[in-house]
Amino acid sequence: MAGYVFISYSRRDRRYVERLASHLNHAGVRTWFDDEIPIGDRFEKVIRSKIDACAAFVVVMSTYDTIHLRRLRDSS
């Protein structure tokens, strides 16, 4: 695949995302997630730039995220 896969995730899932990225990289798929943002760079600007340039976008949602979203929906 040309380019890289952008991985979007919750901080709670960091360890899982690191393993996922490692697995994909070993399979020849380049990945990017926010562990590569240099100190001092503007987080939002870097994220937008990386999303704009990615070949694919993966969203990692854990059980916690799903439950949290349901609670938000039900409280509306």
Side-chain angles (χ1 to χ4, degrees):
M1 171 190 303
Y4 56 88
V5 173
F6 181 102
I7 303 175
S8 175
Y9 69 102
S10 166
R11 291 279 182 226
R12 292 176 183 267
D13 299 320
R14 174 75 178 223
R15 288 178 33 188
Y16 172 80
V17 168
E18 289 170 346
R19 291 191 315 267
L20 173 63
S22 176
H23 178 73
L24 291 171
N25 289 327
H26 280 83
V29 178
R30 288 182 45 222
T31 61
W32 189 92
F33 60 100
D34 65 359
D35 70 328
E36 300 177 22
I37 297 177
I39 294 173
D41 280 1
R42 293 203 42 187
F43 185 83
E44 183 180 336
K45 182 178 178 182
V46 173
I47 294 294
R48 285 178 191 242
S49 171
K50 291 296 186 177
I51 290 172
D52 289 344
C54 72
F57 189 94
V58 171
V59 177
V60 173
M61 288 188 69
S62 65
T63 304
Y64 172 82
D65 295 324
T66 305
I67 291 168
H68 183 68
L69 288 172
R70 279 190 200 134
R71 286 183 184 158
L72 286 174
R73 182 194 65 211
D74 293 345
S75 67
S76 311

